[in-house]
Amino acid sequence: MRKLLFIALLLFTSVTFASAQDVVTEAMREQLFEIQQQVIERRELDLLAEAPLTFPAHSELEAFLKRRFLEDYPPEQLRRDQVFLRALDLAQPGLDLEAALRDFWLTWIGGYYNIIDGSVNIVVRAEDGALDALTIPQQVIYAHEIVHALQDQHFDLERIIVDANKDGNRDRRLAIHALFEGDANYIMLDFLRRLQDADPAAVFRAYSALREPDSEPEIPPVIIDAIEFPYRQGYLFIAEVVAALGWQGVNQALRDNPPQTTEQIYHPQRYLAGEGAVPVHMPDHDEIIAAGWQRAYDGPVGEFFLRQHLQVYLAEFQADDLATGWGGDRMRVFTNDTDDQLIWVLYQEWDSPHDAGEFARGYQQLLEGRYRQGSDDGLCWVAETTHCMAQVGEKETRISAAPHKEEALALLALGD
């Protein structure tokens, strides 16, 4: 089974690592106990077993990341994800997605929870030296990871991760990730606020002393946004669920009612109302796609990646407005072995005719700006490839792209 090791991202963490530290001092034990008690009290869950604390060295961190990729990102999934990102203009051909993700984590990782042995791991930095006690940033990371230990002991995180990955639904996987990272971040930020209330100057000094990395890895923005989404947007989701249902609502989500779409994470009221994605059906397309092309992706886009696609060409607030009202979608991407071109088609369902019409008008304006020569029929824009878009019925829109207009237009299946 896939075993995901949870990561707490601590921005402004240096990438110069020290040797592993094996000693947990008495002063550190007192800190750990105090942090655990605060987390247990705030999260309303008891720690059922010890979660050992370790300080991995750089070599151990690299080994952990390698193991994670072997288990959680098999080559076929990486290829599918790369094709998906390319179709949405979020990555260029030749992107090494595995290297991009690994570079990001090696640069920014602060700590992680190891679901295999139930340990909390805090990455040590060269300037820390031998630790007699946890620094303030390390205390904050520990609070985050102890929440993951609580989740694991009470709700079985391996079960949740296996469920999130079972059908290759990227949108659902990201939504469930936002559930447990949002939970941990909510408690972590509450713990940080308590530290600030007690001694704001000490917290300021501690975070000001953290060094920026010497160099930033070159990573497509979508990779950074997708990694940050569960922490940032997941926190806001958890805040809404706690306000409406208390911690029992979060526990129920972890136990057997996780969010199913990133739309529910962006709009928690839709999760609370039980509003899921509308099923979207597509024709087979085999008669349209020429010989030599293979289906490389077949699944949802979801609100998160739709927003990312729109933001390539529009301001963030415009993308947010157009994507709000998403009801469901399905995308297919086709590749061939001779060049880097793609064929893709996206069917979308919207919550209302207004939402569908607003998106159709906005996306047509996007295409007008992208393909300066305009459209001769109001449906297709032709340049190095052909991009077609149409509103079908009151609440459905369809988008396609292909090397030739005839293919792109046929993929819209306007006669259906």
Side-chain angles (χ1 to χ4, degrees):
M1 289 186 178
R2 295 176 179 174
K3 295 178 172 65
L4 184 65
L5 299 118
F6 298 93
I7 296 171
L9 296 177
L10 176 64
L11 299 183
F12 311 119
T13 296
S14 170
V15 295
T16 305
F17 297 91
S19 299
Q21 173 171 324
D22 298 324
V23 178
V24 177
T25 66
E26 187 60 34
M28 198 178 292
R29 290 185 189 281
E30 293 178 5
Q31 285 182 313
L32 300 183
F33 179 77
E34 177 60 28
I35 296 169
Q36 288 175 12
Q37 293 306 112
Q38 289 191 42
V39 169
I40 288 168
E41 176 188 5
R42 188 69 176 92
R43 186 57 184 82
E44 300 178 8
L45 288 173
D46 290 328
L47 198 61
L48 304 179
E50 182 185 2
L53 174 63
T54 65
F55 299 89
H58 192 199
S59 60
E60 294 172 301
L61 176 60
E62 287 186 311
F64 147 70
L65 290 176
K66 182 178 180 179
R67 186 168 61 248
R68 168 174 179 162
F69 275 100
L70 287 174
E71 296 178 351
D72 294 295
Y73 289 94
E76 182 54 38
Q77 180 176 321
L78 283 169
R79 285 193 293 271
R80 189 167 57 246
D81 287 354
Q82 286 174 291
V83 166
F84 173 81
L85 295 176
R86 282 179 53 205
L88 295 175
D89 301 322
L90 297 172
Q92 297 298 316
L95 168 69
D96 187 337
L97 183 57
E98 179 179 351
L101 288 166
R102 193 156 47 204
D103 285 348
F104 183 91
W105 280 322
L106 278 171
T107 301
W108 295 110
I109 191 170
Y112 57 92
Y113 174 73
N114 188 333
I115 202 171
I116 297 172
D117 60 14
S119 65
V120 170
N121 297 263
I122 294 178
V123 177
V124 292
R125 299 171 292 125
E127 59 264 35
D128 290 333
L131 296 172
D132 293 324
L134 295 182
T135 66
I136 286 176
Q138 289 169 341
Q139 292 175 51
V140 173
I141 291 173
Y142 184 75
H144 181 107
E145 302 308 337
I146 281 296
V147 178
H148 287 320
L150 293 173
Q151 294 167 341
D152 195 18
Q153 293 176 12
H154 285 267
F155 308 109
D156 188 356
L157 284 177
E158 182 177 7
R159 173 191 61 80
I160 297 172
I161 295 303
V162 169
D163 179 58
N165 287 282
K166 66 182 179 182
D167 56 4
N169 185 325
R170 306 178 88 262
D171 189 60
R172 182 169 178 269
R173 186 174 67 203
L174 190 57
I176 294 176
H177 195 182
L179 167 65
F180 48 72
E181 291 299 356
D183 181 8
N185 244 25
Y186 185 97
I187 296 299
M188 180 188 79
L189 293 176
D190 178 76
F191 176 78
L192 178 58
R193 280 192 291 269
R194 295 188 189 194
L195 291 180
Q196 289 175 317
D197 290 343
D199 193 343
V203 173
F204 177 80
R205 287 193 301 270
Y207 279 92
S208 297
L210 294 175
R211 294 195 297 111
E212 294 269 8
D214 296 329
S215 62
E216 287 270 14
E218 294 186 8
I219 301 172
V222 64
I223 302 298
I224 298 174
D225 289 345
I227 291 173
E228 291 181 347
F229 173 85
Y231 299 84
R232 182 186 64 252
Q233 202 66 40
Y235 164 82
L236 298 174
F237 171 80
I238 293 296
E240 291 280 349
V241 174
V242 170
L245 302 175
W247 285 109
Q248 287 306 311
V250 179
N251 295 345
Q252 189 65 35
L254 288 163
R255 185 176 295 112
D256 58 19
N257 187 34
Q260 300 296 302
T261 65
T262 54
E263 180 201 36
Q264 293 181 330
I265 302 299
Y266 280 118
H267 313 284
Q269 292 304 318
R270 298 182 187 182
Y271 167 79
L272 294 169
E275 180 184 324
V278 177
V280 176
H281 304 286
M282 279 184 167
D284 193 76
H285 292 136
D286 285 350
E287 295 183 1
I288 300 171
I289 303 300
W293 291 82
Q294 304 86 37
R295 189 179 299 181
Y297 179 83
D298 189 347
V301 171
E303 187 167 338
F304 172 81
F305 283 103
L306 178 60
R307 290 185 184 215
Q308 292 288 312
H309 171 60
L310 296 173
Q311 286 176 37
V312 175
Y313 306 101
L314 303 173
E316 184 176 353
F317 77 91
Q318 294 173 300
D320 294 352
D321 286 345
L322 292 184
T324 298
W326 178 94
D329 63 26
R330 184 172 176 182
M331 183 183 204
R332 283 189 186 142
V333 186
F334 301 85
T335 61
N336 63 35
D337 297 328
T338 59
D339 56 41
D340 289 326
Q341 288 187 308
L342 301 176
I343 294 174
W344 61 266
V345 59
L346 172 61
Y347 284 19
Q348 300 165 303
E349 292 284 345
W350 296 90
D351 290 337
S352 71
H354 171 78
D355 294 322
E358 183 179 45
F359 178 83
R361 289 188 296 273
Y363 203 82
Q364 286 172 342
Q365 291 173 1
L366 179 156
L367 293 175
E368 291 285 355
R370 180 180 178 185
Y371 300 98
R372 299 293 183 182
Q373 69 275 31
S375 169
D376 60 1
D377 59 5
L379 290 173
C380 297
W381 286 255
V382 181
E384 71 281 357
T385 188
T386 299
H387 218 122
C388 297
M389 186 271 166
Q391 182 174 352
V392 182
E394 289 190 338
K395 298 197 293 184
E396 183 181 354
T397 52
R398 298 178 185 178
I399 308 170
S400 65
H404 306 291
K405 180 177 179 179
E406 294 75 14
E407 293 170 314
L409 194 55
L411 286 168
L412 296 183
L414 297 180
D416 289 3

